[in-house]
Amino acid sequence: MSAALLVGALHDPATVARLDAAGWNSLIAMARAERLIGTLAFWLERQAVPDAVRPILADARADAAREARQAIWEADRARAALAPIGLPVILLKGTAYAAAGLPAGQGRFIGDLDILVPRDRIDAAADALIAAGWEWVKEDPYDDAYYRQWMHELPPMIHTERDRMIDVHHTVLPLTARPTPDAAAMMADAVPITGGLYMLCAEDRVCHAVAHLLADGDLQGGLRNLWDIHTLLADADPAALEARAALHGIAPHVRQAQRLTAAIYGAGGRLTLWDRLVRARLLARNGWGQETRKALVFAFFVRSHWLRMPPLMLARHLFTKWRKGHRPQ
């Protein structure tokens, strides 16, 4: 058993007609674990499903619609907070997809509000958000300093009344990562959505999603991010995407993402040995939704830190986190 069952249902919803009760249990468990239950519910809306499954999918669609409304409202509150200092709100990830009505936003789980601001205005942005009711979350001085010195975003903030998180980015990869995407170009070419909200252009949306999945992180929950890329690619001009990926220094990652989306969610494609390892990590789920292939998962966890920082800094960081009791999930 692997998450191939979930992938198959998203690729071809008609395949769920062959599922028995155990198969449905596994499919729903995997979709919840990958935070794709809303997306799955949306794609199965026109399929005949068992009576016991129908309310589960209906709840998932209702939850996703509620999350989208909350996310767009929160984005509008950030817009209002930053308007006095003349900063537009450029939305990233799920909130951008939902606000723009993109296919990637259909049923998508939306967590924190992610926005992109110029690095030389990030302190002013933080001050404006604090004045509007947000406050810092990280209490540990090491974590706070780590974010401010090395990360691509400020430490997370939460609104004191609405209990909603916001991540204020000044670029899309940690400053210690090997690729250095051109955040200024991304902001310069951002496109309006509505009501004073903006998002990255179509090609940069793909580049950002690819950078997040393949040049950063440990691929945990990666099937959702790869689904984003699969749907975002439909709006990107191939030649423009290639040029944009080269500008941001992630052309190999974008090509790999195209191979993986074709192989996993598309009509199929040829994979390299490295692609096959990534695919094995992405599909590492059992029928209970639990991660499998623990050695492979741990290897990708170590790799994610290796990508983020030089070896000596990595060793010092992991030792510090280990002393503070942090353990990989």
Side-chain angles (χ1 to χ4, degrees), residues 278-309:
V278 173
R279 182 178 64 177
R281 170 65 184 91
L282 291 170
L283 298 180
R285 293 274 178 203
N286 64 21
W288 298 97
Q290 299 163 321
E291 280 190 329
T292 57
R293 301 167 180 160
K294 294 298 183 183
L296 184 64
V297 169
F298 182 73
F300 273 90
F301 170 79
V302 174
R303 173 183 173 272
S304 70
H305 285 77
W306 182 267
L307 290 173
R308 285 188 164 198
M309 57 190 82

Side-chain angles (χ1 to χ4, degrees), residues 16-25 50:
V16 301
R18 299 194 293 266
L19 294 180
D20 57 14
W24 275 107
N25 281 335

Side-chain angles (χ1 to χ4, degrees), residues 144-202:
D144 187 84
Y146 176 78
Y147 267 93
R148 294 178 187 278
Q149 188 170 5
W150 302 117
M151 293 297 285
H152 50 302
E153 58 188 318
L154 286 172
M157 306 172 78
I158 190 168
H159 197 277
T160 54
E161 297 178 354
R162 298 191 295 274
D163 197 32
R164 299 284 295 184
M165 301 277 287
I166 184 170
D167 291 325
V168 183
H169 300 247
H170 54 79
T171 184
V172 298
L173 282 176
L175 300 180
T176 49
R178 293 169 182 82
T180 55
D182 189 336
M186 287 184 170
M187 285 182 267
D189 291 336
V191 296
I193 306 174
T194 183
L197 301 174
Y198 293 77
M199 64 178 175
L200 303 180
C201 70

Side-chain angles (χ1 to χ4, degrees), residues 64-89:
R66 175 180 49 78
E67 281 195 6
R69 289 195 299 272
Q70 288 181 334
I72 295 169
W73 163 257
E74 199 64 20
D76 182 71
R77 294 302 81 203
R79 179 203 58 75
L82 298 182
I85 61 172
L87 272 181
V89 170

Side-chain angles (χ1 to χ4, degrees), residues 2-283:
S2 77
L5 177 65
L6 171 60
V7 166
L10 291 171
H11 171 64
D12 182 4
T15 60
V16 301
R18 299 194 293 266
L19 294 180
D20 57 14
W24 275 107
N25 281 335
S26 295
L27 177 62
I28 291 170
M30 290 174 184
R32 283 178 168 156
E34 292 287 339
R35 296 193 294 181
L36 276 165
I37 184 67
T39 303
L40 178 70
F42 177 85
W43 283 89
L44 297 185
E45 194 167 9
R46 298 180 183 278
Q47 299 296 317
V49 300
D51 290 343
V53 173
R54 194 174 300 115
I56 296 173
L57 300 183
D59 284 349
R61 284 191 290 270
D63 288 345
R66 175 180 49 78
E67 281 195 6
R69 289 195 299 272
Q70 288 181 334
I72 295 169
W73 163 257
E74 199 64 20
D76 182 71
R77 294 302 81 203
R79 179 203 58 75
L82 298 182
I85 61 172
L87 272 181
V89 170
I90 301 175
L91 302 175
L92 301 173
K93 303 180 185 175
T95 306
Y97 310 153
L102 300 180
Q106 292 170 332
R108 191 187 190 280
F109 173 85
I110 301 174
D112 306 339
L113 170 62
D114 296 272
I115 65 172
L116 183 65
V117 304
R119 192 177 182 189
D120 61 357
R121 302 293 309 281
I122 200 159
D123 289 336
D127 291 343
L129 291 170
I130 289 172
W134 278 270
E135 64 181 11
W136 302 112
V137 172
K138 293 290 184 183
E139 298 179 352
D140 187 301
Y142 174 81
D143 288 341
D144 187 84
Y146 176 78
Y147 267 93
R148 294 178 187 278
Q149 188 170 5
W150 302 117
M151 293 297 285
H152 50 302
E153 58 188 318
L154 286 172
M157 306 172 78
I158 190 168
H159 197 277
T160 54
E161 297 178 354
R162 298 191 295 274
D163 197 32
R164 299 284 295 184
M165 301 277 287
I166 184 170
D167 291 325
V168 183
H169 300 247
H170 54 79
T171 184
V172 298
L173 282 176
L175 300 180
T176 49
R178 293 169 182 82
T180 55
D182 189 336
M186 287 184 170
M187 285 182 267
D189 291 336
V191 296
I193 306 174
T194 183
L197 301 174
Y198 293 77
M199 64 178 175
L200 303 180
C201 70
E203 291 73 27
D204 281 349
R205 291 197 293 272
V206 174
C207 288
H208 176 220
V210 169
H212 182 58
L213 176 64
L214 297 174
D216 186 32
D218 58 5
L219 299 184
Q220 190 172 34
L223 283 181
R224 188 195 65 169
N225 296 320
L226 192 68
W227 177 261
D228 286 347
I229 296 167
H230 172 65
T231 54
L232 292 173
L233 278 169
D235 293 329
D237 175 80
L241 175 59
E242 187 175 342
R244 210 64 179 178
L247 172 68
H248 297 311
I250 57 169
H253 300 89
V254 169
R255 288 194 288 271
Q256 184 184 31
Q258 290 172 314
R259 294 194 299 272
L260 288 168
T261 55
I264 294 178
Y265 289 125
R270 297 186 62 180
L271 298 178
T272 66
L273 178 59
W274 173 235
D275 295 339
R276 293 175 188 275
L277 283 172
V278 173
R279 182 178 64 177
R281 170 65 184 91
L282 291 170
L283 298 180

